[in-house]
Amino acid sequence: MVHVEVRSPAVVETGPGAKPHFIERVPGLLVALALAAAAVPLGRLVPVIGGPVFGIVLGVLAGVLVPALRGSWARPGYEFASKTLLQLSIVVLGTGLSLQQVLKVGGESLPVMLGTLTVALGGAWLFGRLLGVRGDTQTLIGVGTAICGASAIAAATAAIGAKRSSVAYALATIFTFNVVAVLAFPPLGHLLGLDARAFGLWAGTAINDTSSVVAAGYTYSQAAGDQALVVKLTRSLMLIPIVIGLVILKSRREARTATAVGKANSMGTTGGVGAGAAAPGEGVLPAPAPAAGRLPWRRMVPLFLIGFIVAAGLRSAGVVPAAWQETLSLVGTFLITSALVAIGLSMRPSELRKAGWRPLALGALLWASVALSSLGLQLLTGTL
């Protein structure tokens, strides 16, 4: 039996101390909220673009024009906005959906979802070999594209103990195509004449991060955003079997390594210390360190996903009045826009340059393959 235990990766350690105190998050958070307050009205003036897209564009421009906004003083606030506010926005948006709608949409999207998952993972293996992108980087880009971007990369990192450089390359690649998707998918959807249901399924299965799915979906329309969000969260559940599979593969590799080390040790000590045999401590390979650190289940089933289901349940039970929907929708949009602003402010072109062209090429091929296969599978299943 394989236990879900993995080595704690160094990549998740950002410093010797605990998480930043809330006071440290305030400056960066205020910057993100201020820019979001400008982006949301712009999105209402130009609904084809939408507040979230304006948010990420304003964030990138502000970071480029005022480099001081990318200082370390603001980073804790940006991290809080890009993660916590995004998760909170998903819970808020859950109040606009019923559980019946969630189950219906999630079930209908399964054929397309499983198909694109297969394309992403198979493509990562094939294109990674062709481009020479192997090992942890290949795995992380494949899992990030297949499931849910940075969240999937974080969970996979915990499962396989990926190197810091591999994580940086994967995150930079995924981030690049998240931005491209937010900007490109809505106009492409209109160009292709997709209705809200088809666009929501396309965005939910073909865009990586939840933030980008939500931004693109609600930029297209409220109905498309609702559809995309449910599809995306259903797709996120695929992280559970994927991470378990990675843990099993890692455990088997470690078991084979331990067996090889054991044989080498026994050969080195056969016949005693005389006759050319290795003396104690000499010529004997060290056994691999035991795995330490248990993979938290919340890495595989995020709390915001549970919150989303609870919010939808409250809506189904009539606890959330219909009169609140417009206000809750606006609050959700503002929170999403704040998260996208923070992501834009955090973008560093130097990270992309360091990654080189091969990981980016792998990400581009996977992104295009998944986007095209999603539309193709919709056409085959009659959902387009």
Side-chain angles (χ1 to χ4, degrees):
M1 179 178 178
V2 177
H3 298 282
V4 184
E5 287 193 330
V6 295
R7 199 176 304 244
S8 300
V11 70
V12 298
E13 296 175 4
T14 56
K19 293 181 178 180
H21 192 275
F22 183 75
I23 298 298
E24 298 175 38
R25 295 170 172 164
V26 170
L29 182 58
L30 289 177
V31 173
L33 293 176
L35 288 174
V40 170
L42 287 174
R44 292 202 157 194
L45 287 174
V46 190
V48 174
I49 298 178
V53 176
F54 274 116
I56 197 166
V57 171
L58 286 178
V60 171
L61 289 176
V64 170
L65 297 175
V66 188
L69 292 177
R70 291 179 177 166
S72 59
W73 61 271
R75 194 171 302 133
Y78 296 160
E79 291 177 355
F80 179 82
S82 63
K83 295 177 183 178
T84 305
L85 292 189
L86 171 65
Q87 294 170 355
L88 183 58
S89 74
I90 292 170
V91 176
V92 171
L93 292 170
T95 61
L97 301 166
S98 66
L99 281 179
Q100 294 83 356
Q101 185 180 358
V102 171
L103 293 173
K104 181 175 182 293
V105 172
E108 290 176 348
S109 67
L110 274 179
V112 178
M113 190 185 312
L114 294 176
T116 53
L117 181 69
T118 303
V119 168
L121 296 177
W125 178 83
L126 175 62
F127 296 135
R129 290 176 67 90
L130 294 175
L131 291 168
V133 180
R134 305 302 302 275
D136 292 344
T137 303
Q138 178 188 29
T139 299
L140 295 179
I141 292 176
V143 171
T145 302
I147 307 174
C148 50
S151 299
I153 289 173
T157 297
I160 65 177
K163 294 181 294 184
R164 184 183 298 271
S165 59
S166 295
V167 177
Y169 292 162
L171 288 173
T173 300
I174 293 297
F175 177 78
T176 299
F177 294 102
N178 282 338
V179 174
V180 173
V182 170
L183 298 175
F185 265 56
L188 283 175
H190 288 297
L191 185 65
L192 294 171
L194 300 180
D195 61 19
R197 182 168 174 268
F199 183 84
L201 182 53
W202 187 39
T205 53
I207 301 178
N208 302 327
D209 265 353
T210 303
S211 59
S212 301
V213 170
V214 171
Y218 284 101
T219 294
Y220 201 77
S221 72
Q222 180 71 35
D226 290 345
Q227 176 91 1
L229 180 57
V230 175
V231 171
K232 177 61 180 175
L233 294 180
T234 306
R235 177 181 164 198
S236 297
L237 292 175
M238 297 297 105
L239 188 59
I240 298 174
I242 293 296
V243 169
I244 291 175
L246 289 174
V247 171
I248 292 172
L249 290 174
K250 176 182 173 66
S251 299
R252 287 179 176 175
R253 283 197 300 267
E254 290 181 344
R256 287 196 296 267
T257 301
T259 300
V261 169
K263 289 181 179 178
N265 287 345
S266 63
M267 290 177 63
T269 56
T270 300
V273 178
E282 295 180 358
V284 179
L285 298 174
R294 191 177 297 272
L295 180 65
W297 282 103
R298 57 189 172 85
R299 284 285 185 90
M300 295 186 284
V301 186
L303 290 178
F304 71 83
L305 178 56
I306 298 173
F308 172 83
I309 295 172
V310 170
L314 293 174
R315 169 68 190 277
S316 302
V319 176
V320 180
W324 292 7
Q325 289 307 306
E326 185 176 352
T327 301
L328 288 172
S329 177
L330 179 61
V331 170
T333 300
F334 182 78
L335 291 173
I336 295 165
T337 304
S338 301
L340 269 291
V341 166
I343 290 172
L345 285 164
S346 301
M347 182 178 179
R348 283 169 171 76
S350 60
E351 293 179 357
L352 301 180
R353 289 194 296 271
K354 288 179 183 177
W357 67 272
R358 292 179 188 274
L360 286 174
L362 176 59
L365 287 169
L366 293 182
W367 182 70
S369 299
V370 171
L372 291 173
S373 64
S374 176
L375 291 174
L377 288 168
Q378 286 192 61
L379 190 60
L380 288 175
T381 57
T383 53
L384 188 61

